[in-house]
Coordinates of all heavy atoms in Angstrom, one line a residue:
N348 N -26.9 3.3 21.1 CA -26.0 2.4 21.7 C -24.6 2.4 21.1 O -23.6 2.3 21.8 CB -26.6 0.9 21.5 CG -25.9 0.0 22.4 OD1 -25.0 0.3 23.1 ND2 -26.4 -1.2 22.5
N349 N -24.5 2.6 19.7 CA -23.2 2.8 19.1 C -22.5 4.1 19.7 O -21.3 4.1 19.8 CB -23.4 2.9 17.6 CG -23.8 1.6 17.0 OD1 -23.7 0.6 17.6 ND2 -24.3 1.7 15.8
W350 N -23.3 5.1 19.9 CA -22.7 6.4 20.5 C -22.2 6.0 21.9 O -21.1 6.5 22.3 CB -23.7 7.4 20.6 CG -23.2 8.7 21.2 CD1 -22.6 9.7 20.5 CD2 -23.3 9.1 22.6 NE1 -22.2 10.7 21.4 CE2 -22.6 10.3 22.7 CE3 -23.8 8.5 23.7 CZ2 -22.5 11.0 23.9 CZ3 -23.6 9.1 24.9 CH2 -23.0 10.4 25.0
Q351 N -22.9 5.2 22.7 CA -22.5 4.9 24.1 C -21.2 4.0 24.0 O -20.4 4.2 25.0 CB -23.6 4.2 24.8 CG -24.7 5.1 25.2 CD -25.9 4.3 25.9 OE1 -26.1 3.2 25.6 NE2 -26.6 5.0 26.8
Q352 N -21.1 3.2 23.0 CA -19.9 2.4 23.0 C -18.7 3.2 22.7 O -17.6 2.9 23.2 CB -20.0 1.4 21.8 CG -21.1 0.3 22.0 CD -20.9 -0.6 23.1 OE1 -19.7 -1.0 23.4 NE2 -21.9 -1.0 23.9
K353 N -18.8 4.3 22.0 CA -17.6 5.1 21.7 C -17.4 6.2 22.8 O -16.3 6.7 22.9 CB -17.8 5.8 20.3 CG -17.8 4.9 19.1 CD -17.9 5.7 17.8 CE -17.8 4.7 16.7 NZ -17.8 5.4 15.4
N354 N -18.4 6.5 23.6 CA -18.3 7.5 24.6 C -18.8 6.9 25.9 O -19.9 7.2 26.4 CB -19.1 8.7 24.3 CG -18.7 9.4 23.0 OD1 -17.6 9.8 22.8 ND2 -19.7 9.4 22.1
E355 N -18.0 6.0 26.5 CA -18.4 5.3 27.7 C -18.6 6.2 28.9 O -19.4 5.9 29.8 CB -17.4 4.2 28.0 CG -17.5 3.1 26.9 CD -16.5 2.0 27.1 OE1 -15.7 2.1 28.2 OE2 -16.4 1.0 26.3
D356 N -17.8 7.3 29.0 CA -17.8 8.1 30.2 C -18.9 9.1 30.2 O -19.3 9.7 31.2 CB -16.4 8.8 30.3 CG -16.0 9.6 29.1 OD1 -16.5 9.2 28.0 OD2 -15.2 10.5 29.2
A357 N -19.5 9.4 29.0 CA -20.5 10.5 28.9 C -21.9 9.9 29.0 O -22.1 8.7 28.8 CB -20.4 11.2 27.5
S358 N -22.9 10.7 29.4 CA -24.2 10.2 29.5 C -25.0 10.8 28.3 O -24.7 11.8 27.7 CB -24.9 10.7 30.8 OG -25.1 12.1 30.8
V359 N -26.0 10.0 27.9 CA -26.8 10.4 26.7 C -27.6 11.7 27.0 O -27.8 12.5 26.0 CB -27.8 9.2 26.4 CG1 -28.7 9.6 25.2 CG2 -27.0 7.9 26.1
E360 N -28.1 11.9 28.2 CA -28.9 13.1 28.5 C -28.1 14.3 28.3 O -28.5 15.4 27.9 CB -29.5 13.0 29.9 CG -30.5 11.9 30.0 CD -29.9 10.5 30.2 OE1 -28.8 10.5 30.6 OE2 -30.7 9.6 30.0
D361 N -26.8 14.3 28.7 CA -26.0 15.5 28.7 C -25.4 15.7 27.3 O -24.9 16.8 27.0 CB -24.8 15.3 29.7 CG -25.3 15.2 31.1 OD1 -26.4 15.7 31.4 OD2 -24.6 14.7 31.9
A362 N -25.4 14.7 26.4 CA -24.7 14.9 25.1 C -25.6 15.7 24.1 O -25.0 16.2 23.2 CB -24.5 13.5 24.5
D363 N -26.9 15.8 24.3 CA -27.7 16.6 23.4 C -27.6 16.1 22.0 O -27.4 16.8 21.1 CB -27.3 18.1 23.5 CG -28.4 19.0 23.1 OD1 -29.6 18.5 23.1 OD2 -28.2 20.1 22.7
L364 N -27.9 14.8 21.8 CA -27.8 14.2 20.5 C -29.1 14.5 19.7 O -30.2 14.6 20.2 CB -27.7 12.7 20.7 CG -26.4 12.1 21.3 CD1 -26.5 10.6 21.5 CD2 -25.2 12.4 20.3
F365 N -28.9 14.5 18.4 CA -30.0 14.7 17.5 C -29.8 13.8 16.2 O -28.7 13.4 15.9 CB -30.2 16.2 17.1 CG -29.2 16.8 16.3 CD1 -29.4 16.9 14.9 CD2 -28.0 17.2 16.8 CE1 -28.4 17.5 14.1 CE2 -27.0 17.8 16.0 CZ -27.2 17.9 14.7
V366 N -30.8 13.6 15.4 CA -30.8 12.9 14.2 C -30.2 13.8 13.1 O -30.9 14.6 12.6 CB -32.1 12.3 13.8 CG1 -32.0 11.5 12.5 CG2 -32.6 11.4 14.9
K367 N -29.0 13.7 12.8 CA -28.4 14.5 11.8 C -28.8 14.2 10.4 O -29.1 15.1 9.6 CB -26.8 14.4 11.9 CG -26.1 15.3 11.0 CD -24.6 15.1 11.1 CE -23.8 15.9 10.1 NZ -22.4 15.7 10.2
E368 N -28.8 12.9 10.1 CA -29.1 12.5 8.8 C -29.8 11.1 8.8 O -29.4 10.3 9.6 CB -27.8 12.3 8.0 CG -27.9 11.8 6.6 CD -26.6 11.6 5.9 OE1 -25.6 12.0 6.4 OE2 -26.6 10.9 4.8
I369 N -30.8 11.0 8.1 CA -31.5 9.7 7.9 C -31.9 9.6 6.4 O -32.5 10.4 5.8 CB -32.8 9.6 8.8 CG1 -33.4 8.2 8.7 CG2 -33.8 10.7 8.6 CD1 -34.4 7.9 9.8
R370 N -31.4 8.5 5.8 CA -31.5 8.3 4.4 C -32.2 7.0 4.1 O -31.8 5.9 4.7 CB -30.1 8.3 3.8 CG -30.1 8.5 2.3 CD -28.7 8.8 1.8 NE -27.7 7.8 2.2 CZ -26.7 8.0 3.0 NH1 -26.4 9.2 3.4 NH2 -25.8 7.1 3.3
V371 N -33.1 7.0 3.3 CA -33.9 5.7 2.9 C -33.6 5.5 1.4 O -34.0 6.3 0.6 CB -35.3 5.8 3.2 CG1 -36.1 4.6 2.8 CG2 -35.6 6.1 4.6
D372 N -32.9 4.4 1.1 CA -32.7 4.1 -0.3 C -33.4 2.8 -0.7 O -33.7 1.9 0.2 CB -31.2 3.8 -0.5 CG -30.3 5.0 -0.1 OD1 -30.8 6.2 -0.5 OD2 -29.3 4.9 0.5
G373 N -33.7 2.7 -1.9 CA -34.4 1.4 -2.4 C -33.5 0.2 -2.4 O -32.3 0.3 -2.7

Side-chain angles (χ1 to χ4, degrees):
N348 196 355
N349 290 342
W350 180 87
Q351 285 177 331
Q352 295 294 322
K353 291 184 179 181
N354 302 301
E355 293 178 0
D356 54 337
S358 70
V359 177
E360 292 81 19
D361 298 337
D363 203 22
L364 293 173
F365 69 99
V366 179
K367 179 181 179 184
E368 179 184 346
I369 183 165
R370 197 170 54 245
V371 180
D372 302 319

